[in-house]
Every structure is written in structure tokens, then in C-alpha cells.
Amino acid sequence: MFSSDIGIDLGTSSVLIYIKGQGIVLKEPSVVAIDRYTNEVIAVGEKARQMIGKTPANINVIRPLREGVISDYNVTEIMLKYFIKKVLGKSSRRPRIAVCVPSEITEVEKKAVKDATKDAGAREVFVIEEPIAAAIGSGIDITRACGSMIVDIGGGTTDIAVISLGGAVVKSSLKIAGDNFDESIIKYIKNKYNILIGEKSAEDLKVNIGTVYKRSAPLNMDIRGKNLVTGLPNTINITSEELYEALKIPTNVIIDRIRKVLEQTPPELASDIYERGIVMTGGGALIYGLDKVIKEATGINTVLAEDSLSCVVLGTGKYIEYNKKFEKDKNVFFQIISKLFKWR
Ligand code: ADP
Ligand code: MG
């Protein structure tokens, strides 16, 4: 029997579910495989992800949140309901669920997420936005009158926010994140070697030897691709120095945006950030050297949050506790919540 509070991170790359008292109980890719002709759902999550790039013509593998917007409404609903039902099992207790959504999604899409979560069995649903959840999950007390900068780099979007008193004072979201790193790697290898590698291979290179700051001891890795001249499969050896070149552009776009957000930050909060540093969360932030380049470019100490891939779901789960903490003092709670919701 589990407790009735649940936090869901509906991310562009993966969905995570946290149940109070149990921890993270689900972590699956945000992918759905559908039969093109009958519209029947064939697989959801990890099983569907394994089909990417390998499906026959009748199967369509969809990443419904890929660029931080809900590109496919129905499929998002199907996926969310599937995951909620999977963790709820046959329990008869209706949980309270907080869902964290990418910050670029519209009010209509937010409502769709809310309805789908209700339909899946929630007693009460809260929809919260990524940087707030990321901040709570990385251990920042968002209710303090003290500025914190959070940079959440997911698959499809990077969210940068300065948070104080429960709200984002300055925020910015851009569609350059982990997935673009993969795309840049594919492009670089294609231009340099005339070899086309797949998305999964690009991600493998990024995770294993990728770097955005010169490594003192360069690494290398073999990767298979298709030679675009001969049409035949080829194996090439790629070095971390080549990946450094390939990743320069998306890295600089993220850094420029961080600088812009700092410029827009009121002086008192900016000095808090200089003192406390920048906190990075999300899977994209795991690329080697990102903390170092951001520190060099801004002069501000930058740290990767502990367990950066889980910050958002933990923060979403904790959000319900915040909510409980203020239950006795509704006024304070509503002040904070209204700030959270006014934030767009
Ligand atoms: P979202 O919140 O959008 O679902 P995540 O926070 O799960 O995204 O991050 C997904 C991104 O993180 C993907 O682009 C993935 O390739 C990247 N990623 C995951 N682990 C690493 C790693 N060790 N090094 C570099 N990138 C990583
Ligand atoms: Mg995320």
C-alpha cells in the first residue's frame, strides 16, 4: 500500500514518477509506438524507444514532447495515463498528483495534462513548471527572499530561471538542449567524414566521450555509421577533441542565454547569485565540462546538482509537501502558489 502523494516529471526525454515513501518508482523514455493504420498503441516507454530507427512502415514511433511542446496531444495523454496506471496498479486510493511540464507548453496543453492525470485516477492535480520543481529538487528553499539561478538542461529545452520568494523573477527557455548536442554530432561527422550515424550512436558518443571543455587526456571511441558515398556500413574512430568542436555552437547558445538572464536580473538578486553560484539540473547538464565553461564565461561558480536527472521529479514530489506544510496557513501558501502560477 503506498502513500497517496505522487510527483511526475513529464520531460521531453523521459518520464519519472516519485511516490512519497517509496522514492522514484518509474523512469521511462517519453516514447510511444503506434500502428499507423489502426492507431493501436503497440508499445510505451523503453520498449517503444528500442524501436526507434528499426520499425517497419506500419509502425510510427513518436516522441510526443520532443521540442518542449506537446506536438501530439493524444499520444501524450495515452503515455501519461499508461505510466500512471502502471504505478498505481490496482490500488483503490486516489492519489494527489503534481505534474511538472516543460515551461513552453500552452495553457490549453496544461489543461490537457491536468485532465489526463485526473482521468488516470488522481484525486487532485497540480501542474507546476520545470525550473521551480528543479529548484526545489536541488535543495533550494524557494520561499526565501534570496536569489538563486537554476539552469535545467533537458533533452528538448533548457530552462534558465532566477528564483526568489517562490517565483521566477527572470526566466528564459530555449529549444537548445541535450538533443541538439546529438544533432550537432551527427552533422559534424557527416560533414567531416561523409558518414551518417544514428541518433543513438550520437548520444552514445556524447555520453561517453563528449566534452564542452578541453579534456587534459583526450578520449576516443569507435562508432558505426553508413558511408554516404558507398552506401555501405563503416566504423570510424571519433575523438573527444572532435566532439568539442562539434558541440561549440549549442554550448555557446546556452551560455549566451545565461548571460542575458543575468543582465536582466535585479542587482540585489544578482549579487545573491554571485555569492551562491549557479545550479545546473537535468540530463543535458551532465555533459563533461559544462560547469567549467559556464564558470569561465560568467565568473560565477557553477555546480551540477546532486542526481541531476532526478531533481525535477523529486522537486515535484516535494511540492506536495510544501503544499501540506502551508495547509494550516493558507494565506502564505496561496501567496507562494499564486507567484508560481503567475510565472509564465
Ligand atoms: P527531459 O527533462 O527533457 O526529459 P532529461 O533531464 O532526462 O530531459 O535529459 C535528457 C538529456 O540528457 C538527453 O539529451 C540525454 O542524451 C542527456 N544525457 C543523459 N545523460 C547524459 C550524460 N551522462 N552526459 C551527457 N548527456 C546526458
Ligand atoms: Mg526535465
Side-chain angles (χ1 to χ4, degrees):
M1 195 68 196
F2 56 78
S3 145
S4 55
D5 288 342
I6 293 179
I8 301 177
D9 170 9
L10 183 61
T12 63
S13 289
S14 39
V15 177
L16 284 83
I17 302 188
Y18 166 92
I19 298 181
K20 201 178 157 204
Q22 284 185 36
I24 297 169
V25 293
L26 181 137
K27 190 174 181 178
E28 298 233 26
S30 316
V31 185
V32 182
I34 289 193
D35 188 305
R36 244 181 244 280
Y37 305 114
T38 62
N39 270 335
E40 195 189 325
V41 176
I42 294 163
V44 184
E46 185 53 42
K47 265 196 198 142
R49 191 184 72 102
Q50 283 174 9
M51 296 178 179
I52 291 177
K54 296 179 186 162
T55 48
N58 67 317
I59 300 177
N60 192 7
V61 182
I62 301 172
R63 288 182 55 191
L65 295 142
R66 184 167 198 146
E67 297 196 331
V69 290
I70 297 187
S71 57
D72 197 319
Y73 225 61
N74 293 336
V75 175
T76 303
E77 264 188 49
I78 289 168
M79 181 177 78
L80 187 58
K81 280 189 193 163
Y82 176 89
F83 289 142
I84 294 174
K85 292 210 165 117
K86 191 168 172 182
V87 301
L88 287 182
K90 290 199 170 65
S91 166
S92 55
R93 287 179 66 183
R94 286 161 65 82
R96 300 195 310 163
I97 302 183
V99 190
C100 177
V101 294
S103 55
E104 288 289 290
I105 81 168
T106 63
E107 289 302 319
V108 177
E109 289 167 343
K110 244 187 243 173
K111 191 173 177 302
V113 166
K114 207 169 180 173
D115 292 346
T117 310
K118 264 235 154 97
D119 264 14
R123 162 164 53 102
E124 203 177 347
V125 184
F126 306 90
V127 177
I128 63 171
E129 285 165 279
E130 202 143 17
I132 303 286
I136 300 174
S138 66
I140 295 169
D141 183 352
I142 58 159
T143 59
R144 285 182 59 195
C146 183
S148 308
M149 178 178 265
I150 196 102
V151 178
D152 180 82
I153 308 177
T157 58
T158 293
D159 284 286
I160 304 163
V162 174
I163 293 164
S164 173
L165 280 172
V169 181
V170 191
K171 58 131 197 171
S172 188
S173 177
L174 72 158
K175 287 189 176 126
I176 299 286
D179 294 348
N180 298 83
F181 285 19
D182 303 347
E183 281 159 27
S184 297
I185 293 172
I186 294 174
K187 227 169 155 184
Y188 179 89
I189 293 177
K190 190 172 153 222
N191 288 341
K192 187 164 175 183
Y193 297 100
N194 248 323
I195 285 175
L196 185 64
I197 63 163
E199 274 174 35
K200 260 192 105 243
S201 305
E203 190 181 19
D204 283 349
L205 279 172
K206 174 183 74 176
V207 169
N208 291 300
I209 65 163
T211 180
V212 296
Y213 189 87
K214 288 254 170 166
R215 290 185 191 251
S216 49
L219 302 170
N220 65 83
M221 187 176 154
D222 279 347
I223 205 83
R224 276 160 65 86
K226 187 173 121 179
N227 189 309
L228 290 169
V229 180
T230 63
L232 298 172
N234 254 177
T235 299
I236 41 168
N237 189 268
I238 299 292
T239 67
S240 53
E241 273 155 343
E242 290 177 293
L243 297 183
Y244 171 78
E245 287 302 319
L247 298 176
K248 260 187 182 161
I249 293 174
T251 306
N252 285 336
V253 174
I254 293 175
I255 289 175
D256 282 350
R257 191 59 76 87
I258 293 175
R259 279 217 194 93
K260 244 188 215 126
V261 172
L262 283 167
E263 278 165 28
Q264 292 164 359
T265 303
E268 280 80 11
L269 296 180
S271 74
D272 290 344
I273 295 166
Y274 273 90
E275 219 166 88
R276 296 155 57 104
I278 297 171
V279 178
M280 295 192 299
T281 61
L286 288 167
I287 185 96
Y288 176 86
L290 194 57
D291 49 350
K292 295 189 187 77
V293 274
I294 294 176
K295 186 178 175 188
E296 275 185 10
T298 60
I300 302 174
N301 194 35
T302 304
V303 293
L304 182 69
E306 200 181 313
D307 200 0
S308 75
L309 277 162
S310 308
C311 282
V312 168
V313 77
L314 295 176
T316 309
K318 263 198 205 160
Y319 172 90
I320 294 187
E321 286 170 38
Y322 262 94
N323 169 329
K324 272 209 175 123
K325 189 168 134 192
F326 290 108
E327 221 155 35
K328 286 197 199 84
D329 192 347
K330 283 281 183 204
N331 276 339
V332 180
F333 180 65
F334 281 131
Q335 271 170 24
I336 290 167
I337 296 308
S338 70
K339 280 199 184 110
L340 296 185
F341 284 98
K342 252 190 243 153
W343 172 60
R344 273 191 74 84

